[in-house]
Amino acid sequence: MEEKKKSDRFSIIKKIILTVFVFIICKILYMTTIKHEHYNELAENKTYKKLLIDAPRGEIRDRYGRLLAGNKNLFTVKISGDDIKKTDSNGKSMANDIALKTIKLLEKNNEEYVDEFPIVIKNGKYSYTFDKEIREYKEQNNIPKDLNAKESFYYLVDKLIAEGTLSKEDKRLEAGKLQSKLNENGYYPPILVSKWMFTEEKNKVDWLKSYKIENTNINAKQAFKEVRNSKLYEIDKNLSDQDARKILVVRDLIKSQGYSQYNPVTIAQDINEKTIAQIEENAIELVGVSVVIEPVRDYPNKSLASHVLGYVGKIPSNQEKSYLEKGYMKDDKVGLSGVEKSYEKVLKGTDGHKMVKVDAFGKITQEISVKEPKSGDTVYLSLDKDLQEVAEESLKQAVTVARTGGVFKSKFGNKTVSQTSANAKSGAVIAIDLNTGDVLASASYPDFDPNKFVTGISSEDYKKLQSENENDMLAARPLSNLVTQGAFQPGSTFKLITAMAALDNGLSPNYAINDPGVIRLGNRNFADYTWHKTKSNHGYTNLYKAIQESCNVYFYTIATGKNWTGKPDPGAKIGASDVLEYAKLFGLDESTGLDKEIQESEGKVPNPGDKLKNTKITLKSALTKKMKNYFTDITKDKDPVEYEKRIDEIVSWMDEEKTPGRVEAMNRIAKLKVKEDKVEEVADLAVFSYFNFAKWSTADTFNLSIGQGENAYTPAQMARAIAAIANGGNLVELSVVDKSVSTDYSDVDIDDNKKQKIKFNNDDNLKEIIKGMKLVSTKGTGKGVFANFPESVAVKTGTAEKSGKIPTVEEYQYLLKHMSSYGVDSKEAEKLAESMKKAREKELSKERKAEIKAKLEKKDLKEDERKSLESELKEGVKVKLENSDKVNAAYLRKAIHELNPDITDEKIDSYKSDYGSFGWGVAFAPADNPEIAVVSVIPQGKSSAYPLLVMREILGSYFGLLDKDKSVESTDKSSKNIDKNKLSEEGNINFTSQMKK
């Protein structure tokens, strides 16, 4: 009986345990299935969240600590991807409702918000922003609309070759290497050369595939429909496409963060108080939407030093991958030019974060821990803000007065200008500490406001920064820094280099000539400016007077080692090679050092070998086009190999020590089986247009000696050379950066500039040059500006002639307008031009096809390239020349020549304006104990007076001669020390004042 009772008790206990166990299982199933979302949300509500805190970007200040680039704090709307996905009491996701309400609230208050959803709906039409970005890139760079990625790439390359940025040899580089070459010169075409796709084309494909849309040719409307109706978002079908798009703006932005979706995304910046209040009031409805204070880049002085500072902006799409690999977030702002770019690693701070607990509405209920962000280092420039302001103001005034006339206003005395140059629209000036290489001021006009780029520049604003005439390489370009990128003929300022080459090789500064005013070489006159103007001369002239009055004939004499009047030759027997060598010693064939800090495209010293090489290339091109049907036994199409062989033989005659004359050339050409009626034509072309000018001549040396011809240097290069004259022969590295300092002052990185002693035969020869430069400011061409200047100044002026005519904005229309004066029927010319263009396209297609087949035969061809070439061959090779003004005008010009063989290009271009001469000025002061060197140039300014005015204002400011309050009067100019306890008031930010009212 007792055992039975025990058995019953065990049975009951088992049943109880089993019942409890079944209950637990059921509860688990209930919680993990039926109520999964509810309990999951509860769990999430109790988890910690890690929120990023953006670090302020490091400041950029002038040499005395005055703010040039800082940060302003803006109220920013953030949306948390995790929080807006929470469900309501019915288990429905709140994401779409929150997204729509947020965008409508922002729109109601006229707030700008981030809209990166790549399908736009306008007037009932749907379009991709990817396509728009490609169109705008082409428009901004004047690339014809119908060109594909590869054609656009090489169109840009051809343009840069024409501008002298790239060489013809560069174009033969493999595409990847050529792209690197473009990058080195500051050009970043958004093109993937490995696939020959625009970056935006690739982005479009990737975006569509992210929504599992495999048809990459789908139109924008259909793509929008598929994204809208996807299960990913479950957007209410009753909503209009406009409202659905507002939802997608937010949700696609969150989705684009990939694995970082837990980080809140920025949807709007710089919002006003009303918007802040409404977001706070609607916190329950706007779960996951918050307002935070974020630092944003700010340039308080607007355009001041814009070319040196550069600007920040969104990460370029073609560089996004590399930035993300470095730890950047997709919506981070990075330096894109100038110091902002070169010092990106230093200026970028380290983001912080805080661990928080949030409630069901996504609001923070508890702050667990905080890791404060660390702002970037402060970069101190060598620039003097006051001097920079004077440089920019005076340069702008000088360019304006040069173009329109009027009065140049100055505390040294106003100067009325009567002679004007309508094409003077740009200019540059640089001032340096000639002993250290520190750049004290650097201004290029026109300039730009870098604030426009901070949150993304509009297409309208970007267009305003483009050239008015893309056909004209000298047209004003606000984004170009002429100080380091404008390589111009230096004119008479180069005579100082010629003088040193002669002095250092034995010339006595007292060697004199009786200046005849002109030297005649063949049928060409090489004369002094005064001879051109009044048929007069400089009379008895030694080196000092030659520098003072800028006597061309004197420098022709010393550069060739020959007195062309028949009197005693100079004591120094030098030639072009010596002048070129000294130009290199003065650093005119290399970077100034600024390439490491701001974009630089330095000029190069002429190379006699390059002249021959380039002449051979142009002759071969001319003969190849001209002689395709000139032989009696072959044509270019029937036997291209033999055809090229014969053309190469004609070109090779240029390498002979004495090139053949007309008769000899005709005899040789006849032996090559050229048609009898074409022999004379080919010989005249080769001899008189190419052979006679292929090699370096006395005329080239004449031009070299006075800074004409192939000479071309930037103002920065000239400043470095002038500094070497002033400081006793030390070639200093230029720099705009003084130092960088960490936030806590624990790390100070001082930028020390390199200095190299030039190995002259006798440094004292520089003193003879300085004597001549001092005479320029007191008796010569600089007297009108510097005669009464309180400090002694050593000066040299120059005006460089620019050959050629200014291209018109629309070359094709120009040709049509003047067609009757060319003796040609316009309709006939247009028809022939079109026919010639089509023939050329057919020819290029054939050549391209042969090129592809030849490449495919190579065993070491990369697989990606092989597939690309095979695909191109399979699709059918059809090369299309761009339908651009430049190309169409070129073929119309060819048609004009074909229809009227006697007309010349000079006649065709005779209705265009001539380029104006370039006004140059170089100086340093005090003349006897130099501290500062200044160089200025005004392209097409026609007179050196304008640069001199700019230079005088800068020197006046430097020496404290201008009545202008300075906040740093007592500061030692060379100080590299930092007062850690004295912070600039400009650095203190009042957060409340940053609100919009």
Side-chain angles (χ1 to χ4, degrees), residues 967-997:
S967 59
V968 288
E969 284 287 353
S970 61
T971 308
D972 179 8
K973 287 184 169 64
S974 64
S975 173
K976 296 258 185 185
N977 298 320
I978 305 166
D979 184 349
K980 299 181 182 180
N981 299 315
K982 186 178 180 181
L983 298 176
S984 170
E985 291 181 5
E986 295 179 57
N988 298 327
I989 301 173
N990 183 339
F991 292 173
T992 307
S993 69
Q994 300 303 320
M995 286 188 183
K996 285 183 181 177
K997 301 298 181 185

Side-chain angles (χ1 to χ4, degrees), residues 14 17 55 63 130 246 248 256 330 340 348 358 360 384 399 424 430 550 558 577 631 796 804-805 889 893 926 937 988:
K14 286 179 181 179
I17 292 173
R63 66 191 297 115
F130 304 112
K246 290 171 185 174
L248 291 171
S256 70
K330 192 175 180 180
E340 290 280 24
K348 178 174 171 54
V358 296
D384 176 340
V399 172
I430 180 173
S550 208
I558 65 173
S577 60
F631 294 98
K796 186 70 189 82
K805 298 281 188 175
R893 184 180 287 260
V937 61
N988 298 327

